[in-house]
Amino acid sequence: MSTLMMLLVVWGVLTVLLILLLIYRSTLSMHEDDQLFLDDSSKNMREEQEALQIRMKKVAPWVKILGAASAVLILVIAGMAAYQQLNQG
């Protein structure tokens, strides 16, 4: 398998992971409330929203890392493909 093909496989895996994380993040944000009443009767709701915020904060850096890695890798792949085409012709 050529280097270009291996990079395409790695890019595909990274992109699939990124898409899965984006779907998970959007699922979490669907459960997020726009407003929150902080009286004693809604303590359970407040705790759920706090837990939701913690999970969303854990996902955010991974979305950025995978997004950047996917973008850089596809640029490297495009550069390598262009370089190979220039050298063949």
Side-chain angles (χ1 to χ4, degrees), residues 31-88:
H31 298 292
E32 187 177 24
D33 289 334
D34 292 336
Q35 61 183 350
L36 187 62
F37 301 102
L38 297 177
D39 59 352
D40 290 336
S41 63
S42 62
K43 181 180 178 185
N44 188 29
M45 180 182 265
R46 182 187 53 164
E47 290 171 354
E48 289 175 7
Q49 291 298 311
E50 288 172 354
L52 184 65
Q53 288 295 319
I54 290 170
R55 283 187 284 187
M56 287 182 72
K57 286 180 182 176
K58 286 181 182 178
V59 169
W62 289 105
V63 169
K64 290 178 184 176
I65 290 168
L66 287 175
S70 178
V72 167
L73 195 53
I74 197 66
L75 290 175
V76 167
I77 291 169
M80 286 179 65
Y83 180 75
Q84 285 180 356
Q85 289 298 320
L86 289 174
N87 284 338
Q88 284 181 359

Short mmCIF file of all heavy atoms in Angstrom, two decimals, residues 31-88:
data_model
loop_
_atom_site.label_atom_id
_atom_site.label_comp_id
_atom_site.label_asym_id
_atom_site.label_seq_id
_atom_site.Cartn_x
_atom_site.Cartn_y
_atom_site.Cartn_z
N HIS A 31 -30.16 18.44 24.84
CA HIS A 31 -30.69 18.29 26.19
C HIS A 31 -30.40 19.48 27.08
O HIS A 31 -30.80 19.51 28.24
CB HIS A 31 -30.13 17.02 26.84
CG HIS A 31 -30.51 15.78 26.11
ND1 HIS A 31 -31.80 15.31 26.05
CD2 HIS A 31 -29.77 14.91 25.38
CE1 HIS A 31 -31.84 14.21 25.33
NE2 HIS A 31 -30.62 13.95 24.90
N GLU A 32 -29.67 20.44 26.54
CA GLU A 32 -29.32 21.63 27.31
C GLU A 32 -30.50 22.59 27.34
O GLU A 32 -31.13 22.86 26.32
CB GLU A 32 -28.10 22.30 26.67
CG GLU A 32 -27.55 23.43 27.48
CD GLU A 32 -26.30 23.99 26.82
OE1 GLU A 32 -26.14 23.84 25.60
OE2 GLU A 32 -25.51 24.59 27.54
N ASP A 33 -30.80 23.11 28.50
CA ASP A 33 -31.91 24.06 28.66
C ASP A 33 -31.42 25.48 28.42
O ASP A 33 -30.28 25.83 28.73
CB ASP A 33 -32.51 23.97 30.06
CG ASP A 33 -33.29 22.68 30.26
OD1 ASP A 33 -33.77 22.13 29.26
OD2 ASP A 33 -33.42 22.24 31.42
N ASP A 34 -32.32 26.31 27.88
CA ASP A 34 -31.98 27.71 27.64
C ASP A 34 -31.98 28.52 28.92
O ASP A 34 -31.23 29.48 29.05
CB ASP A 34 -32.96 28.33 26.65
CG ASP A 34 -32.81 27.75 25.26
OD1 ASP A 34 -31.71 27.25 24.96
OD2 ASP A 34 -33.78 27.80 24.49
N GLN A 35 -32.85 28.15 29.83
CA GLN A 35 -32.90 28.87 31.10
C GLN A 35 -32.98 27.86 32.24
O GLN A 35 -33.41 26.74 32.06
CB GLN A 35 -34.09 29.81 31.14
CG GLN A 35 -35.42 29.14 30.99
CD GLN A 35 -36.54 30.17 30.97
OE1 GLN A 35 -36.31 31.33 31.25
NE2 GLN A 35 -37.73 29.73 30.65
N LEU A 36 -32.58 28.29 33.38
CA LEU A 36 -32.54 27.41 34.53
C LEU A 36 -32.98 28.19 35.76
O LEU A 36 -32.45 29.26 36.05
CB LEU A 36 -31.10 26.88 34.72
CG LEU A 36 -30.88 25.82 35.77
CD1 LEU A 36 -31.67 24.56 35.42
CD2 LEU A 36 -29.41 25.47 35.83
N PHE A 37 -33.96 27.65 36.46
CA PHE A 37 -34.44 28.27 37.68
C PHE A 37 -33.71 27.63 38.85
O PHE A 37 -33.76 26.43 39.03
CB PHE A 37 -35.96 28.09 37.80
CG PHE A 37 -36.70 28.70 36.65
CD1 PHE A 37 -37.20 27.90 35.63
CD2 PHE A 37 -36.87 30.07 36.57
CE1 PHE A 37 -37.87 28.46 34.56
CE2 PHE A 37 -37.54 30.63 35.50
CZ PHE A 37 -38.04 29.83 34.50
N LEU A 38 -33.06 28.45 39.63
CA LEU A 38 -32.18 27.93 40.67
C LEU A 38 -32.83 27.94 42.05
O LEU A 38 -32.21 28.29 43.04
CB LEU A 38 -30.88 28.75 40.70
CG LEU A 38 -30.05 28.66 39.43
CD1 LEU A 38 -28.84 29.56 39.53
CD2 LEU A 38 -29.64 27.24 39.16
N ASP A 39 -34.05 27.51 42.14
CA ASP A 39 -34.65 27.37 43.47
C ASP A 39 -34.43 25.93 43.95
O ASP A 39 -33.90 25.09 43.24
CB ASP A 39 -36.13 27.75 43.44
CG ASP A 39 -36.92 26.90 42.47
OD1 ASP A 39 -36.31 26.13 41.71
OD2 ASP A 39 -38.16 27.01 42.47
N ASP A 40 -34.82 25.66 45.18
CA ASP A 40 -34.56 24.35 45.78
C ASP A 40 -35.32 23.23 45.09
O ASP A 40 -34.88 22.08 45.09
CB ASP A 40 -34.91 24.38 47.27
CG ASP A 40 -33.93 25.23 48.06
OD1 ASP A 40 -32.78 25.39 47.58
OD2 ASP A 40 -34.31 25.72 49.13
N SER A 41 -36.47 23.53 44.52
CA SER A 41 -37.27 22.47 43.90
C SER A 41 -36.65 21.97 42.59
O SER A 41 -36.97 20.88 42.14
CB SER A 41 -38.69 22.97 43.64
OG SER A 41 -38.67 24.04 42.73
N SER A 42 -35.79 22.74 41.99
CA SER A 42 -35.18 22.32 40.73
C SER A 42 -33.70 21.94 40.89
O SER A 42 -32.92 22.06 39.96
CB SER A 42 -35.33 23.42 39.68
OG SER A 42 -34.67 24.58 40.10
N LYS A 43 -33.36 21.47 42.06
CA LYS A 43 -31.96 21.09 42.33
C LYS A 43 -31.51 19.95 41.42
O LYS A 43 -30.39 19.96 40.92
CB LYS A 43 -31.82 20.69 43.80
CG LYS A 43 -30.41 20.31 44.19
CD LYS A 43 -30.33 19.93 45.63
CE LYS A 43 -28.92 19.52 45.97
NZ LYS A 43 -28.80 19.02 47.32
N ASN A 44 -32.38 18.99 41.20
CA ASN A 44 -32.04 17.85 40.34
C ASN A 44 -31.77 18.31 38.92
O ASN A 44 -30.81 17.86 38.28
CB ASN A 44 -33.17 16.82 40.36
CG ASN A 44 -32.80 15.55 39.65
OD1 ASN A 44 -31.63 15.18 39.60
ND2 ASN A 44 -33.79 14.88 39.10
N MET A 45 -32.59 19.22 38.42
CA MET A 45 -32.40 19.75 37.07
C MET A 45 -31.08 20.51 36.97
O MET A 45 -30.36 20.39 35.98
CB MET A 45 -33.56 20.66 36.69
CG MET A 45 -33.44 21.24 35.31
SD MET A 45 -34.79 22.35 34.94
CE MET A 45 -35.87 21.20 34.11
N ARG A 46 -30.75 21.26 38.00
CA ARG A 46 -29.50 22.01 38.00
C ARG A 46 -28.30 21.06 37.95
O ARG A 46 -27.35 21.28 37.22
CB ARG A 46 -29.41 22.91 39.23
CG ARG A 46 -28.15 23.75 39.26
CD ARG A 46 -28.03 24.49 40.53
NE ARG A 46 -28.17 23.50 41.62
CZ ARG A 46 -27.82 23.71 42.87
NH1 ARG A 46 -27.35 24.88 43.22
NH2 ARG A 46 -27.94 22.79 43.77
N GLU A 47 -28.36 19.98 38.73
CA GLU A 47 -27.27 19.01 38.74
C GLU A 47 -27.12 18.33 37.38
O GLU A 47 -26.00 18.09 36.93
CB GLU A 47 -27.50 17.97 39.83
CG GLU A 47 -27.36 18.54 41.23
CD GLU A 47 -27.79 17.57 42.30
OE1 GLU A 47 -28.33 16.48 41.97
OE2 GLU A 47 -27.59 17.89 43.49
N GLU A 48 -28.24 18.04 36.73
CA GLU A 48 -28.18 17.44 35.40
C GLU A 48 -27.53 18.40 34.40
O GLU A 48 -26.73 17.98 33.57
CB GLU A 48 -29.58 17.08 34.91
CG GLU A 48 -30.20 15.90 35.62
CD GLU A 48 -31.63 15.65 35.18
OE1 GLU A 48 -32.10 16.31 34.22
OE2 GLU A 48 -32.28 14.80 35.79
N GLN A 49 -27.88 19.67 34.49
CA GLN A 49 -27.31 20.65 33.58
C GLN A 49 -25.82 20.86 33.84
O GLN A 49 -25.04 21.04 32.90
CB GLN A 49 -28.05 21.99 33.70
CG GLN A 49 -29.46 21.95 33.19
CD GLN A 49 -29.53 21.63 31.71
OE1 GLN A 49 -28.82 22.22 30.91
NE2 GLN A 49 -30.36 20.68 31.35
N GLU A 50 -25.42 20.81 35.10
CA GLU A 50 -23.99 20.93 35.42
C GLU A 50 -23.21 19.73 34.88
O GLU A 50 -22.11 19.90 34.34
CB GLU A 50 -23.80 21.07 36.92
CG GLU A 50 -24.24 22.41 37.47
CD GLU A 50 -24.22 22.48 38.99
OE1 GLU A 50 -23.98 21.43 39.65
OE2 GLU A 50 -24.45 23.57 39.53
N ALA A 51 -23.78 18.54 35.02
CA ALA A 51 -23.12 17.34 34.49
C ALA A 51 -23.03 17.41 32.97
O ALA A 51 -22.03 17.02 32.37
CB ALA A 51 -23.88 16.09 34.93
N LEU A 52 -24.07 17.93 32.36
CA LEU A 52 -24.08 18.10 30.91
C LEU A 52 -23.01 19.08 30.45
O LEU A 52 -22.30 18.83 29.47
CB LEU A 52 -25.46 18.58 30.46
CG LEU A 52 -25.71 18.73 28.99
CD1 LEU A 52 -25.66 17.37 28.31
CD2 LEU A 52 -27.07 19.36 28.76
N GLN A 53 -22.85 20.17 31.19
CA GLN A 53 -21.82 21.15 30.85
C GLN A 53 -20.42 20.54 30.99
O GLN A 53 -19.54 20.82 30.17
CB GLN A 53 -21.94 22.38 31.76
CG GLN A 53 -23.12 23.25 31.45
CD GLN A 53 -23.01 23.87 30.08
OE1 GLN A 53 -21.95 24.30 29.65
NE2 GLN A 53 -24.12 23.90 29.37
N ILE A 54 -20.22 19.72 31.99
CA ILE A 54 -18.91 19.08 32.18
C ILE A 54 -18.60 18.15 31.01
O ILE A 54 -17.49 18.16 30.47
CB ILE A 54 -18.89 18.31 33.53
CG1 ILE A 54 -18.88 19.30 34.69
CG2 ILE A 54 -17.69 17.37 33.60
CD1 ILE A 54 -19.10 18.67 36.04
N ARG A 55 -19.60 17.37 30.57
CA ARG A 55 -19.38 16.47 29.43
C ARG A 55 -19.10 17.26 28.16
O ARG A 55 -18.24 16.88 27.36
CB ARG A 55 -20.59 15.56 29.23
CG ARG A 55 -20.61 14.42 30.23
CD ARG A 55 -21.70 13.47 29.89
NE ARG A 55 -22.95 14.12 30.31
CZ ARG A 55 -24.14 13.54 30.31
NH1 ARG A 55 -24.26 12.32 29.86
NH2 ARG A 55 -25.20 14.19 30.72
N MET A 56 -19.80 18.37 27.96
CA MET A 56 -19.58 19.17 26.76
C MET A 56 -18.19 19.82 26.78
O MET A 56 -17.54 19.94 25.74
CB MET A 56 -20.67 20.23 26.62
CG MET A 56 -21.99 19.63 26.20
SD MET A 56 -23.30 20.82 25.97
CE MET A 56 -22.77 21.61 24.48
N LYS A 57 -17.71 20.20 27.96
CA LYS A 57 -16.37 20.77 28.07
C LYS A 57 -15.29 19.73 27.81
O LYS A 57 -14.21 20.05 27.34
CB LYS A 57 -16.18 21.42 29.43
CG LYS A 57 -16.92 22.73 29.57
CD LYS A 57 -16.71 23.35 30.93
CE LYS A 57 -17.51 24.64 31.04
NZ LYS A 57 -17.41 25.24 32.38
N LYS A 58 -15.58 18.46 28.13
CA LYS A 58 -14.62 17.39 27.86
C LYS A 58 -14.55 17.08 26.37
O LYS A 58 -13.49 16.71 25.86
CB LYS A 58 -15.00 16.12 28.62
CG LYS A 58 -14.72 16.18 30.10
CD LYS A 58 -15.09 14.88 30.76
CE LYS A 58 -14.87 14.95 32.26
NZ LYS A 58 -15.28 13.70 32.93
N VAL A 59 -15.65 17.23 25.67
CA VAL A 59 -15.71 16.91 24.24
C VAL A 59 -15.08 18.02 23.39
O VAL A 59 -14.46 17.75 22.36
CB VAL A 59 -17.17 16.65 23.82
CG1 VAL A 59 -17.31 16.57 22.32
CG2 VAL A 59 -17.69 15.37 24.45
N ALA A 60 -15.22 19.27 23.81
CA ALA A 60 -14.80 20.42 23.01
C ALA A 60 -13.34 20.37 22.56
O ALA A 60 -13.06 20.60 21.37
CB ALA A 60 -15.10 21.72 23.76
N PRO A 61 -12.38 20.08 23.44
CA PRO A 61 -10.99 20.05 22.95
C PRO A 61 -10.73 18.94 21.94
O PRO A 61 -9.96 19.12 21.00
CB PRO A 61 -10.14 19.84 24.21
CG PRO A 61 -11.06 19.78 25.35
CD PRO A 61 -12.44 19.91 24.87
N TRP A 62 -11.41 17.81 22.10
CA TRP A 62 -11.22 16.71 21.16
C TRP A 62 -11.78 17.05 19.79
O TRP A 62 -11.22 16.64 18.77
CB TRP A 62 -11.84 15.42 21.70
CG TRP A 62 -11.05 14.88 22.85
CD1 TRP A 62 -11.38 14.91 24.17
CD2 TRP A 62 -9.78 14.26 22.79
NE1 TRP A 62 -10.39 14.35 24.92
CE2 TRP A 62 -9.39 13.94 24.09
CE3 TRP A 62 -8.92 13.94 21.73
CZ2 TRP A 62 -8.17 13.31 24.36
CZ3 TRP A 62 -7.72 13.32 22.02
CH2 TRP A 62 -7.36 13.01 23.32
N VAL A 63 -12.88 17.79 19.76
CA VAL A 63 -13.43 18.23 18.48
C VAL A 63 -12.44 19.15 17.78
O VAL A 63 -12.19 19.03 16.57
CB VAL A 63 -14.80 18.93 18.67
CG1 VAL A 63 -15.26 19.62 17.41
CG2 VAL A 63 -15.85 17.93 19.14
N LYS A 64 -11.84 20.07 18.52
CA LYS A 64 -10.86 20.98 17.94
C LYS A 64 -9.62 20.23 17.44
O LYS A 64 -9.12 20.49 16.35
CB LYS A 64 -10.44 22.04 18.95
CG LYS A 64 -11.53 23.04 19.25
CD LYS A 64 -11.08 24.03 20.30
CE LYS A 64 -12.21 24.97 20.67
NZ LYS A 64 -11.84 25.88 21.75
N ILE A 65 -9.12 19.30 18.24
CA ILE A 65 -7.92 18.55 17.88
C ILE A 65 -8.18 17.70 16.64
O ILE A 65 -7.38 17.71 15.69
CB ILE A 65 -7.46 17.66 19.06
CG1 ILE A 65 -6.90 18.54 20.18
CG2 ILE A 65 -6.43 16.64 18.61
CD1 ILE A 65 -6.69 17.79 21.49
N LEU A 66 -9.28 16.95 16.63
CA LEU A 66 -9.57 16.09 15.49
C LEU A 66 -9.89 16.91 14.24
O LEU A 66 -9.51 16.52 13.13
CB LEU A 66 -10.72 15.14 15.82
CG LEU A 66 -10.38 14.00 16.77
CD1 LEU A 66 -11.63 13.20 17.12
CD2 LEU A 66 -9.33 13.09 16.18
N GLY A 67 -10.56 18.04 14.41
CA GLY A 67 -10.85 18.90 13.27
C GLY A 67 -9.58 19.46 12.66
O GLY A 67 -9.41 19.47 11.43
N ALA A 68 -8.68 19.92 13.49
CA ALA A 68 -7.41 20.46 13.00
C ALA A 68 -6.57 19.36 12.36
O ALA A 68 -5.97 19.56 11.28
CB ALA A 68 -6.65 21.12 14.14
N ALA A 69 -6.51 18.19 13.00
CA ALA A 69 -5.73 17.08 12.45
C ALA A 69 -6.28 16.64 11.10
O ALA A 69 -5.52 16.38 10.16
CB ALA A 69 -5.70 15.91 13.42
N SER A 70 -7.59 16.57 10.99
CA SER A 70 -8.21 16.18 9.73
C SER A 70 -7.92 17.19 8.63
O SER A 70 -7.60 16.83 7.50
CB SER A 70 -9.72 16.02 9.93
OG SER A 70 -10.35 15.68 8.73
N ALA A 71 -8.01 18.48 8.96
CA ALA A 71 -7.75 19.52 7.97
C ALA A 71 -6.29 19.52 7.53
O ALA A 71 -6.00 19.60 6.32
CB ALA A 71 -8.13 20.89 8.55
N VAL A 72 -5.38 19.41 8.46
CA VAL A 72 -3.94 19.40 8.12
C VAL A 72 -3.61 18.16 7.29
O VAL A 72 -2.89 18.25 6.29
CB VAL A 72 -3.08 19.46 9.40
CG1 VAL A 72 -1.63 19.13 9.11
CG2 VAL A 72 -3.21 20.81 10.06
N LEU A 73 -4.17 17.03 7.67
CA LEU A 73 -3.86 15.80 6.96
C LEU A 73 -4.39 15.83 5.53
O LEU A 73 -3.71 15.38 4.60
CB LEU A 73 -4.42 14.60 7.72
CG LEU A 73 -3.90 13.23 7.33
CD1 LEU A 73 -2.38 13.19 7.36
CD2 LEU A 73 -4.46 12.17 8.26
N ILE A 74 -5.58 16.37 5.31
CA ILE A 74 -6.10 16.43 3.94
C ILE A 74 -5.28 17.41 3.10
O ILE A 74 -5.09 17.19 1.90
CB ILE A 74 -7.62 16.73 3.90
CG1 ILE A 74 -8.22 16.37 2.53
CG2 ILE A 74 -7.90 18.17 4.22
CD1 ILE A 74 -8.21 14.94 2.20
N LEU A 75 -4.76 18.46 3.71
CA LEU A 75 -3.89 19.38 2.98
C LEU A 75 -2.57 18.71 2.61
O LEU A 75 -2.05 18.90 1.51
CB LEU A 75 -3.64 20.64 3.79
CG LEU A 75 -4.83 21.58 3.95
CD1 LEU A 75 -4.49 22.74 4.88
CD2 LEU A 75 -5.30 22.09 2.60
N VAL A 76 -2.02 17.92 3.53
CA VAL A 76 -0.79 17.17 3.25
C VAL A 76 -1.03 16.17 2.12
O VAL A 76 -0.21 16.04 1.20
CB VAL A 76 -0.27 16.47 4.52
CG1 VAL A 76 0.81 15.45 4.20
CG2 VAL A 76 0.22 17.49 5.52
N ILE A 77 -2.15 15.48 2.17
CA ILE A 77 -2.49 14.51 1.13
C ILE A 77 -2.62 15.20 -0.22
O ILE A 77 -2.11 14.71 -1.23
CB ILE A 77 -3.77 13.74 1.51
CG1 ILE A 77 -3.49 12.82 2.71
CG2 ILE A 77 -4.29 12.93 0.33
CD1 ILE A 77 -4.74 12.23 3.33
N ALA A 78 -3.31 16.33 -0.25
CA ALA A 78 -3.48 17.07 -1.51
C ALA A 78 -2.13 17.55 -2.03
O ALA A 78 -1.86 17.47 -3.25
CB ALA A 78 -4.42 18.25 -1.29
N GLY A 79 -1.27 18.02 -1.15
CA GLY A 79 0.06 18.45 -1.56
C GLY A 79 0.89 17.31 -2.12
O GLY A 79 1.58 17.45 -3.13
N MET A 80 0.82 16.16 -1.46
CA MET A 80 1.57 14.99 -1.94
C MET A 80 1.04 14.52 -3.29
O MET A 80 1.82 14.16 -4.18
CB MET A 80 1.49 13.85 -0.91
CG MET A 80 2.34 14.08 0.31
SD MET A 80 2.20 12.74 1.50
CE MET A 80 2.90 11.38 0.58
N ALA A 81 -0.28 14.52 -3.45
CA ALA A 81 -0.86 14.09 -4.72
C ALA A 81 -0.46 15.05 -5.84
O ALA A 81 -0.12 14.61 -6.94
CB ALA A 81 -2.38 14.00 -4.59
N ALA A 82 -0.48 16.34 -5.56
CA ALA A 82 -0.08 17.32 -6.57
C ALA A 82 1.40 17.16 -6.92
O ALA A 82 1.78 17.24 -8.09
CB ALA A 82 -0.37 18.73 -6.06
N TYR A 83 2.21 16.96 -5.91
CA TYR A 83 3.65 16.76 -6.14
C TYR A 83 3.91 15.52 -7.01
O TYR A 83 4.74 15.56 -7.92
CB TYR A 83 4.37 16.63 -4.79
CG TYR A 83 5.86 16.43 -4.92
CD1 TYR A 83 6.69 17.49 -5.26
CD2 TYR A 83 6.42 15.18 -4.69
CE1 TYR A 83 8.06 17.30 -5.38
CE2 TYR A 83 7.78 14.97 -4.80
CZ TYR A 83 8.59 16.04 -5.14
OH TYR A 83 9.95 15.84 -5.28
N GLN A 84 3.20 14.43 -6.71
CA GLN A 84 3.38 13.22 -7.51
C GLN A 84 2.94 13.43 -8.95
O GLN A 84 3.58 12.93 -9.89
CB GLN A 84 2.59 12.06 -6.88
CG GLN A 84 3.23 11.50 -5.65
CD GLN A 84 2.42 10.36 -5.05
OE1 GLN A 84 1.33 10.03 -5.52
NE2 GLN A 84 2.94 9.75 -3.99
N GLN A 85 1.85 14.17 -9.15
CA GLN A 85 1.37 14.44 -10.51
C GLN A 85 2.35 15.31 -11.28
O GLN A 85 2.55 15.11 -12.48
CB GLN A 85 -0.01 15.11 -10.48
CG GLN A 85 -1.13 14.19 -10.04
CD GLN A 85 -1.31 13.01 -11.01
OE1 GLN A 85 -1.23 13.17 -12.22
NE2 GLN A 85 -1.57 11.84 -10.44
N LEU A 86 2.95 16.28 -10.61
CA LEU A 86 3.93 17.14 -11.28
C LEU A 86 5.18 16.38 -11.69
O LEU A 86 5.79 16.65 -12.71
CB LEU A 86 4.29 18.33 -10.39
CG LEU A 86 3.20 19.39 -10.22
CD1 LEU A 86 3.65 20.43 -9.19
CD2 LEU A 86 2.89 20.05 -11.54
N ASN A 87 5.60 15.45 -10.86
CA ASN A 87 6.81 14.67 -11.14
C ASN A 87 6.59 13.60 -12.20
O ASN A 87 7.52 13.19 -12.87
CB ASN A 87 7.36 14.03 -9.87
CG ASN A 87 8.07 15.04 -9.00
OD1 ASN A 87 8.51 16.08 -9.49
ND2 ASN A 87 8.18 14.75 -7.73
N GLN A 88 5.37 13.14 -12.38
CA GLN A 88 5.08 12.11 -13.40
C GLN A 88 4.98 12.71 -14.79
O GLN A 88 5.31 12.07 -15.77
CB GLN A 88 3.76 11.39 -13.08
CG GLN A 88 3.87 10.41 -11.96
CD GLN A 88 2.55 9.71 -11.69
OE1 GLN A 88 1.55 10.00 -12.34
NE2 GLN A 88 2.56 8.80 -10.74
#
